[in-house]
Amino acid sequence: MLSEKTIEIIKSTVPVLETHGVDITKRFYQLLFANHPELLNIFNHENQKKGRQQTALANAVYAAAQHIDHLEQILPVVKQIAHKHRSLGIKPEHYPIVGTNLIAAIKDVLGEAATDEIVQAWTEAYGVIADAFIGVEAELYEQAEQQSGGWSGFRAFRLDKKVKESEIITSFYMVPQDGREIASFIPGQYVSVKLEIPGETYTHIRQYSLSDAPGKPYYRITVKREDDAPNTPAGKVSVYLHEHLQEGDKVLLSAPGGDFTLDVKDERPVVLISGGVGQTPMISMLNELAERWPHRQVTFIHAARNGRYHAMKEHVEKQAESHSQISAYWCYNEPTDQDRELKAFHKEGHIDLPWLQEIVPSKDASFYFCGPVPFMRAVNDALKEWGIPASDIHYEFFGPSGNLDNMPEARETMARA
């Protein structure tokens, strides 16, 4: 338990964290990797370069400071991060290392403003916050290992099949090398893929949503090759998967995890909205609903650049043809002449509220969406404007977590998929 004095000091630093939080976390990662380069085997180097990890950590520290006297209020955030930590292999022994470097970063950035009193208060507070994470993660580790077909750490799989879905998206079907049972999962969850890429000093770990329903003898991930955007460095892992990973090759996977999941207890209609490769968890949810919950009405909405970049279109259309309760709609922002000739899409431009109100049968539904951050921000704003309750809005970030309602970037009414 923290003393009232410590709580008071931590809360007094909230304005400072709001101003200097990202500077502190940037300095933290500099110190962390300089002192412990072995941790580069765990962390996503690309998110470091883009600043996403620093921002996510700054937001988490800020939230913890705000609610230091009632940490249970941020338990959903703790659980979300804990799922990712478990899939990456973060262990209790890592937390003292993080704490030491975080306190050092606070001292470096704040200088004389980081008084002995503030440093001591944050040292105590970090211990409490770390214990909260360690406790939640211990439960997740136990669940992952003890469930039927489960395991701890990373398990060897073999790439059984590789299927090109569009110009930049490919599906990878993976089966366990030992031939034994694999753990089930809830649609929307992901696995971590651990690779040793030739020529790279450190291993690389990436998290990919499972893109098929549970209950299959394989896990499927569907990956976008991240090298098509101008002025953006190519994604080492996605390019390696597309170019070099061949059928029969070994892949290391974590047990499935994640808290962005389909609520199968909710009997109401479901609306699945995706942009680009953000449809991967939606395909898992769609397949699950089609196979096991045929009474629930499903509206599947997908935004893509055009038909050349639209993955799994035929699969979704077949699901809609085979199940009367499923409707599918496509939105292309750069349709080709062939797309227009074939009438391959339903809307040109971007997903917006008037179109959603036109095609979604009822606002009394559960809404799930995933895609690029600007896309998700636009969808979130549209749903809020429509009056959809926060409890019915569910979304997933690919990469470090965030909050669409509190993101500092300027809001956009439309966004590219």
Side-chain angles (χ1 to χ4, degrees), residues 275-301:
V277 77
Q279 74 172 324
T280 52
M282 305 305 168
I283 294 289
S284 178
M285 294 181 184
L286 175 70
N287 290 352
E288 173 76 356
L289 289 162
E291 293 175 15
R292 297 182 178 86
W293 308 94
H295 61 285
R296 292 183 68 177
Q297 186 179 56
V298 182
T299 305
F300 191 98
I301 305 166

Side-chain angles (χ1 to χ4, degrees), residues 345-371:
F345 60 99
H346 302 89
K347 185 181 190 301
E348 182 173 351
H350 307 281
I351 294 174
D352 55 25
L353 179 55
W355 191 51
L356 289 176
Q357 291 174 323
E358 178 184 334
I359 62 177
V360 175
S362 171
K363 62 186 292 186
D364 183 21
S366 290
F367 291 79
Y368 297 82
F369 57 94
C370 186

